Amino acid sequence: MIQPDAMRAHLEEVELLLRRPPTHCRVKEALFALRRAYPEQCRVFSIGRSVLGRELYAAAVGDTRGATLLMGGTHGLEWLTSLLMLRFLDDLLYSIAQNERLAEIDVKKSMETRGVIILPALNPDGIEIALRGSAGAGSMGERVQEICCGNYRLWQANARGVDLNHNFDAGWETLHKMEEEAGITGPAPTRYGGPRPESEPETRAITAFCREFAVRQAYAYHSQGEEIYYKYGEHTPTRSRLMAQLLATSSGYRLMSPEGLASHGGFKDWFIDKLRRPAFTIEIGKGKNPLPLCDLEPVYGRLREMMMLSLLL
């Protein structure tokens, strides 16, 4: 069992990391610091690698098989979602270890028969590019610079200029035609769905993981808009609407339906269409991406109860 002084040191390390933008190195450091602080409650592992070879680290609490998935960092500019995932994981582990309530919920008892997997960043390359420009793209720096003409302020894609939330196999052909009609025909900072569905290693990693571990339900966090999306096609589970209404009541976010280029090809769409289980896209906060660091605590304060409820539904 870890000593109190050592635990305190690890938690102080996490607190410092949460005050800075989530580079891949910092996300890794935070996850492993939490594992060291809570070795009995937390497991950290990789579900795959990005285009540039960065590990896609996830943390598991409770039973991994049939767990609930919380995922952030699908888009480069939406890096505040990665910090939100780490912030919730920190609170969750502390509440279990100390047998304290979180959002008035008995976390330790509730998690005895449940599991959660938290993936802070599906797109670590995109986040690095959004934060550091071509320097974040390593060997692909010149190509990334060409794609965005040196303007990284709109970078949402992975290192190959593919928008991961347009790359899933759910209405991809329809979306591809819509992209072409909008003039998006090749690698771009945002909204290019790739040459084929699941062409990207990040997309293949998360779909394979969801299948292998029979993920029960999934919550993909994006920014911004204070909105919740829960429907996709005829395979949307009947219970999804009630679940979404509970999430909306807790958070004060609006229930919405996607339009235009956001109508197909997303992770939520794939999860519903192929696995026929509940999945949600949650757009956190309001403003212009990237949302500032100072928004983390207000956003988390508003969503803490909803995030905890999402594990119990």
Side-chain angles (χ1 to χ4, degrees):
M1 186 172 182
I2 192 168
Q3 296 300 311
D5 288 346
M7 177 185 287
R8 192 175 303 112
H10 295 320
L11 296 181
E12 287 174 356
E13 181 182 357
V14 172
E15 186 177 346
L16 289 173
L17 290 166
L18 287 172
R19 296 176 185 173
R20 304 177 70 185
T23 61
H24 182 253
C25 182
R26 289 175 191 148
V27 169
K28 177 182 177 181
E29 288 175 6
L31 287 173
F32 280 92
L34 286 168
R35 188 185 72 172
R36 290 191 297 272
Y38 304 105
E40 297 179 7
Q41 290 85 16
C42 180
R43 301 184 304 284
V44 176
F45 55 94
S46 172
I47 70 164
R49 290 178 179 265
S50 70
V51 167
L52 290 170
R54 293 183 172 105
E55 299 282 0
L56 307 179
Y57 286 112
V61 181
D63 191 355
T64 310
R65 187 158 190 84
T68 294
L69 172 67
L70 306 184
M71 183 173 77
T74 301
H75 286 140
L77 289 176
E78 300 173 20
W79 48 257
L80 199 74
T81 60
S82 296
L83 293 178
L84 180 67
M85 297 298 100
L86 294 170
R87 184 70 177 81
F88 178 64
L89 177 62
D90 186 15
D91 256 8
L92 182 69
L93 290 168
Y94 179 86
S95 298
I96 293 171
Q98 301 298 319
N99 197 18
E100 292 187 4
R101 289 177 172 266
L102 179 59
E104 302 304 319
I105 294 169
D106 186 336
V107 183
K108 187 173 183 178
K109 184 175 182 181
S110 298
M111 294 302 294
E112 286 177 356
T113 57
R114 294 176 174 86
V116 60
I117 297 153
I118 296 179
L119 179 67
L122 178 65
N123 183 16
D125 295 349
I127 292 174
E128 289 281 349
I129 293 166
L131 291 173
R132 301 170 53 219
S134 61
S139 61
M140 299 185 70
E142 288 188 11
R143 177 58 179 145
V144 165
Q145 189 170 14
E146 289 175 6
I147 290 172
C148 67
C149 301
N151 180 5
Y152 304 97
R153 291 179 296 174
L154 299 177
W155 196 273
Q156 297 280 55
N158 72 353
R160 280 205 283 247
V162 175
D163 188 325
L164 297 181
N165 217 40
H166 284 218
N167 190 236
F168 289 88
D169 188 12
W172 185 90
E173 291 79 8
T174 300
L175 177 62
H176 187 61
K177 291 178 182 177
M178 294 170 68
E179 289 172 355
E180 289 183 328
E181 291 170 359
I184 305 168
T185 58
T190 184
R191 296 189 171 186
Y192 171 60
R196 60 189 179 280
E198 295 189 27
S199 61
E200 304 310 295
E202 300 93 342
T203 313
R204 294 194 298 273
I206 190 61
T207 56
F209 179 83
C210 288
R211 287 189 175 105
E212 182 178 353
F213 287 88
V215 172
R216 183 168 64 93
Q217 56 196 23
Y219 301 83
Y221 284 79
H222 290 255
S223 64
Q224 47 76 46
E226 298 185 352
E227 298 167 344
I228 298 172
Y229 297 82
Y230 70 94
K231 293 187 289 186
Y232 185 74
E234 62 183 355
H235 300 311
T236 303
T238 54
R239 67 184 184 277
S240 292
R241 180 169 179 80
L242 177 58
M243 294 171 70
Q245 288 173 334
L246 291 170
L247 299 175
T249 298
S250 173
S251 63
Y253 282 16
R254 298 178 299 162
L255 297 185
M256 300 292 288
S257 297
E259 298 177 351
L261 290 174
S263 300
H264 303 280
F267 170 72
K268 165 189 69 70
D269 309 330
W270 171 85
F271 195 94
I272 292 171
D273 192 52
K274 296 299 186 288
L275 303 184
R276 304 189 182 187
R277 300 171 193 152
F280 307 84
T281 295
I282 299 168
E283 297 279 357
I284 71 165
K286 273 197 173 179
K288 182 179 179 181
N289 285 322
L291 296 178
L293 278 169
C294 62
D295 280 7
L296 176 61
E297 287 305 319
V299 166
Y300 178 59
R302 185 169 177 180
L303 296 183
R304 182 190 294 111
E305 180 187 76
M306 185 200 77
M307 297 179 79
M308 192 59 226
L309 286 173
S310 72
L311 307 187
L312 309 182
L313 295 177

